[in-house]
Amino acid sequence: MRANNVTCLFAFFSTAFVALAQQNSRDLTQLLQSNKNLSEFTTLLTSYGDIYANLSFQSQVTILAPNNDAFNKIPYTILGPAFEANQSQIVRSVLQYHILPGLHPSASYNGTFSFDKTWMQDTSYTNVTGGQVVGGVEQAGDVNIFTSGMGTRSTLITANLRFAGGIVHVIDNFLIPPRTFTQTVPQFNLTAAGGAAENASLAEYANTHKDLTIFVPQNAAFQALGATLQSMPSSELQRILDYHVVNSTTVLYSSNLSDGTVLRTLSGQNVTISFASNSLFVNQARVLQQDLLIANGVMHVIDNFLDPDAPSVTANPELPTAPPLIQGTSLSENIVPFTSFLPTSVT
């Protein structure tokens, strides 16, 4: 009996080993052809022969492959016009954005966001050192999510399809290449910050300078000081806004921000990161939303203004929202200041 059990175990592991070896030895073409829900992706990928050929020579690469349902959603996304008009340069960049150097199996993701470089190098969508990133995280229920531009979320449907050159993960939505600061802020109801940057001659810098981390006050923070902000000289408004921008040698995603981190801002003064009561703070301001990707860096939304005249103020995590440090007069609840300065193309 014992010999029979050993024989059965040997047969089981031998079969499993052969199956795994067959998966690892198949090429990308064989993998794609064996997955009918990737037929649209296969057609797209093979139409860009140079990218497809390059993948054939890779030994460690991860492909986030949108399934057929994701292609059906394209007309309802920001990618719709480009695909409809067959704008090949944009579509090429989108395709490259779905390819990650290195092996990133599903088990490599956990509850902390990681930000992985991609093949996309088009400067219209990536002005960050090393190439544009995609965010990855494991959420409750062992669900893996990938985040991209405009806050787009793509869910991992089928994981770890192996081929000789790497891994394919099947996702349910296309990744969206990050856009500029000015193009992105309306998506998150940050129109006051976008308009204020235009008014203070900061928008061009925020849209084009490399490796930026921007702490963006929510619209309510602008409303609380709206009358004062609108009446101050643009140079003073720029001084305040500069204190919310960090230009570093690397983009500071949430995974790079730890308790006690000190950052030099565009104004030349420092801000301090703290972590308390399961919340992230910049000086006294609570971070409400993290890691909103833009073409040249990342935005973190904060609940209040940072004051360049009070750089040493610290957070009080017991308060849901700290009172404004900058003294001023508010606008009525329905008025959002500076929105008229936003380009009409993004409003």
Side-chain angles (χ1 to χ4, degrees), residues 45 48-56 92-93 95-96 99 119:
L45 180 59
Y48 288 84
D50 57 329
I51 297 177
Y52 188 51
N54 195 1
L55 284 170
S56 300
R92 170 185 295 275
S93 295
L95 185 56
Q96 291 171 328
I99 303 171
W119 276 19

Side-chain angles (χ1 to χ4, degrees), residues 90 93 120 122-127 132 177-179 294-296:
I90 295 177
S93 295
M120 187 174 69
D122 188 334
T123 55
S124 298
Y125 307 109
T126 176
N127 191 16
Q132 192 53 264
R179 309 188 78 189
I294 55 177
N296 57 331

Side-chain angles (χ1 to χ4, degrees), residues 269-283:
Q269 297 161 291
N270 293 339
V271 294
T272 302
I273 304 298
S274 60
F275 189 84
S277 300
N278 206 33
S279 291
L280 192 66
F281 293 87
V282 188
N283 290 357

Side-chain angles (χ1 to χ4, degrees), residues 23 26 35 63-64 104-107 109 142 144 146 155-162 167-171:
Q23 283 188 356
R26 63 181 173 177
N35 287 270
I63 303 172
L64 304 179
H104 303 276
S106 59
Y109 296 99
D142 296 328
N144 283 35
F146 297 99
T155 302
L156 178 59
I157 300 300
T158 306
N160 305 322
L161 300 177
R162 295 186 176 273
I167 296 173
V168 171
H169 295 313
V170 182
I171 56 177

Side-chain angles (χ1 to χ4, degrees), residues 74-277:
I74 288 177
Y76 309 103
T77 73
I78 199 170
L79 300 177
F83 274 77
E84 177 67 24
N86 193 27
Q87 294 178 292
S88 60
Q89 187 56 44
I90 295 177
V91 177
R92 170 185 295 275
S93 295
V94 171
L95 185 56
Q96 291 171 328
Y97 192 40
H98 290 73
I99 303 171
L100 286 58
L103 297 180
H104 303 276
S106 59
S108 67
Y109 296 99
N110 54 39
T112 301
F113 263 101
S114 64
F115 294 90
D116 300 315
K117 303 294 185 183
T118 69
W119 276 19
M120 187 174 69
Q121 297 291 334
D122 188 334
T123 55
S124 298
Y125 307 109
T126 176
N127 191 16
V128 293
T129 299
Q132 192 53 264
V133 302
V134 59
V137 68
E138 183 185 64
Q139 296 189 334
D142 296 328
V143 176
N144 283 35
I145 300 292
F146 297 99
T147 60
S148 55
M150 309 301 278
T152 305
R153 293 164 59 88
S154 304
T155 302
L156 178 59
I157 300 300
T158 306
N160 305 322
L161 300 177
R162 295 186 176 273
F163 67 103
I167 296 173
V168 171
H169 295 313
V170 182
I171 56 177
D172 68 343
N173 284 304
F174 267 81
L175 306 174
I176 305 295
R179 309 188 78 189
T180 67
F181 169 80
T182 299
Q183 292 170 324
T184 301
V185 286
Q187 179 77 9
F188 299 98
N189 197 30
L190 301 170
T191 49
E198 293 283 347
N199 185 49
S201 302
L202 183 62
E204 182 177 357
Y205 185 93
N207 288 332
T208 62
H209 206 80
K210 193 172 187 176
D211 293 335
L212 292 188
T213 301
I214 307 177
F215 298 104
V216 185
Q218 63 176 331
N219 274 1
F222 278 89
Q223 289 173 309
L225 301 173
T228 300
L229 294 173
Q230 285 185 327
S231 63
M232 69 174 47
S234 60
S235 59
E236 177 63 12
L237 178 61
Q238 182 176 359
R239 186 178 76 93
I240 293 172
L241 296 180
D242 283 351
Y243 190 51
H244 294 73
V245 180
V246 176
N247 174 217
S248 179
T249 56
T250 184
V251 179
L252 299 169
Y253 307 103
S254 60
S255 54
N256 303 120
L257 300 176
S258 57
D259 191 49
T261 300
V262 176
L263 306 171
R264 179 62 60 92
T265 69
L266 189 58
S267 72
Q269 297 161 291
N270 293 339
V271 294
T272 302
I273 304 298
S274 60
F275 189 84
S277 300

